[in-house]
Amino acid sequence: MNEIDALVVGGGQAGLAAAHALRVAGLDPVVLEAGDEPVGSWPSYYDSLTLFSPARYSALPGMTFPGDPDHYPHRDEVIDYLRRYAKNLNADIRTGHRVDTVHAENTSFRVELPDGTELRAPILIAATGAFGQPHRPTLPGLDSFTGTLLHSADYHEPTPFAEQRIVVVGAANSAVQIGTELAEHATVTLATRKPVKFAPQRPFGRDVHFWSVITGFDAAPIGPLLSTPPPVPVNDDGRHRRAITAGRPDQRRMFTTIDGTHLTWADGTREHVDTIILATGYRPNLSYLTDLGAVAMDGTPRHRRGPSTTHPRLGYVGLEWQRSFSSATLRGVGRDAHYVVRRLLRR
């Protein structure tokens, strides 16, 4: 059995940030990534995805994001950035290595891989992040819908949906971006529980992230104080608000029933719908920690600001509101990774 300094499960932005923090601490981690390359979930996101944070606020520790610091990077730019970051990290990153189970034995963690390989380390960081598992909420009649049902993780570009009647479920950034894009090719409704809330992308002539950083809000460790994380408004330069105001897409409260391909809205209107797209976010995929007893019944990790509350040398990186507003972002995950590594080494 191979003995190593530390194991990192997940090779996306959270895993790479964790590996960087471990390297800075003088350790030689092994990063286990299930996919073909260490870029996390980014390749699966829709083609037109553009970050809401400028390049200057979208980098991991030790490597700036290329190009104009004030431009908003495209999805493919992020993928290229993560590839180069991994290459320059000088860490042992093993792709195609899915972790199924983790065991705790004495003072070490033992990881079993599908090919029968076993690795052991005194430190384990779960860095599969907050976006490993598409969330499919329970909605009235959804199981009986006989049209096309997708999660936003399965949506890439609008061409296949031309001329369709589409309902996008959700009120956050992805729902609004996808709904607005599709409305150029189809008849689209945003189905939401509450009205979409917008925040100006450049208040007082500066990007909102500038104000978030200089006020300290971006890094404020308030995550553990929140019993329920607040909804994040849609960052908008005005285009999406204008589109929704013009009814492209229109916005309605959540449908009440589904019968085959027919949806009934709260006002009693009934209509045929071709496709429903669930832009309802993601949940952490931490099933490999189940045997440890490190996660709750609903799959959420037992932790405080990243370090586990069940195992002294187990930590998490990349969870939403783990410590702060920016915990699950490119700009915030590195800060959390260094915090978690420092805490684990003190235990």
Side-chain angles (χ1 to χ4, degrees):
M1 184 181 297
N2 297 318
E3 299 279 349
I4 56 180
D5 287 351
L7 276 169
V8 178
V9 182
Q13 63 192 41
L16 297 178
H20 179 273
L22 290 162
R23 293 286 297 162
V24 169
L27 302 180
D28 292 318
V30 170
V31 179
L32 301 175
E33 163 57 35
D36 296 332
E37 55 181 341
V39 293
S41 302
W42 286 96
S44 67
Y45 298 151
Y46 50 99
D47 295 356
S48 64
L49 175 63
T50 300
L51 297 188
F52 286 98
S53 56
R56 70 169 76 247
Y57 302 116
S58 304
L60 296 175
M63 182 175 160
T64 58
F65 205 102
D68 182 351
D70 291 321
H71 90 286
Y72 296 90
H74 181 266
R75 178 203 66 180
D76 292 347
E77 292 181 76
V78 177
I79 294 171
D80 288 341
Y81 172 80
L82 293 175
R83 285 173 181 149
R84 283 186 277 109
Y85 192 91
K87 184 177 180 180
N88 295 330
L89 193 54
N90 194 27
D92 184 354
I93 302 174
R94 305 181 187 181
T95 58
H97 283 62
R98 180 176 299 278
V99 174
D100 287 336
T101 308
V102 176
H103 300 285
E105 295 183 352
N106 299 319
T107 59
S108 295
F109 295 98
R110 179 170 57 85
V111 169
E112 298 178 1
L113 301 175
D115 64 359
T117 302
E118 294 188 351
L119 301 174
R120 187 192 298 272
I123 293 174
L124 186 135
I125 295 181
T128 41
F131 308 106
Q133 183 170 281
H135 176 54
R136 299 177 183 269
T138 301
L139 295 174
L142 194 63
D143 290 343
S144 66
F145 182 62
T146 56
T148 300
L149 177 63
L150 303 173
H151 189 273
S152 57
D154 304 310
Y155 170 81
H156 296 288
E157 54 93 17
T159 304
F161 304 94
E163 307 302 325
Q164 288 191 14
R165 178 69 178 100
I166 300 172
V167 172
V168 178
V169 177
N173 285 306
S174 293
V176 171
Q177 276 195 348
I178 291 171
T180 302
E181 178 177 76
L182 278 168
E184 297 294 321
H185 305 266
T187 303
V188 183
T189 292
L190 286 180
T192 66
R193 297 191 186 281
K194 296 180 179 179
V196 175
K197 292 185 177 182
F198 292 96
Q201 191 160 351
R202 297 185 64 84
F204 306 107
R206 301 295 295 266
D207 183 85
V208 66
H209 295 87
F210 167 82
W211 302 109
S212 179
V213 169
I214 67 167
T215 60
F217 174 72
D218 204 59
I222 60 175
L225 305 178
L226 303 173
S227 56
T228 302
V232 177
V234 175
N235 283 341
D236 186 32
D237 60 6
R239 289 176 297 165
H240 295 105
R241 185 192 291 269
R242 288 193 297 270
I244 291 175
T245 300
R248 301 177 59 191
D250 72 335
Q251 182 182 177
R252 306 184 196 181
R253 298 294 75 78
M254 193 64 64
F255 47 82
T256 57
T257 60
I258 297 178
D259 179 15
T261 60
H262 287 80
L263 272 64
T264 302
W265 299 98
D267 63 0
T269 303
R270 185 173 184 268
E271 65 174 325
H272 167 81
V273 170
D274 297 296
T275 298
I276 296 176
I277 299 176
L278 302 175
T280 46
Y282 297 79
R283 296 292 184 270
N285 184 7
L286 298 167
S287 58
Y288 53 91
L289 298 177
T290 300
D291 289 353
L292 288 183
V295 296
M297 291 293 292
D298 63 358
T300 56
R302 304 179 191 274
H303 74 102
R304 183 167 179 79
R305 296 188 173 95
S308 169
T309 56
T310 63
H311 296 77
R313 304 202 90 183
L314 168 65
Y316 302 90
V317 176
L319 303 174
E320 290 189 293
W321 289 100
Q322 177 172 311
R323 294 181 66 233
S324 69
F325 171 68
S326 61
S327 281
T329 68
L330 281 163
R331 68 185 183 279
V333 72
R335 182 167 48 238
D336 282 6
H338 283 267
Y339 171 84
V340 169
V341 168
R342 288 195 302 269
R343 291 293 302 271
L344 296 185
L345 292 177
R346 289 175 188 164
R347 291 183 169 188

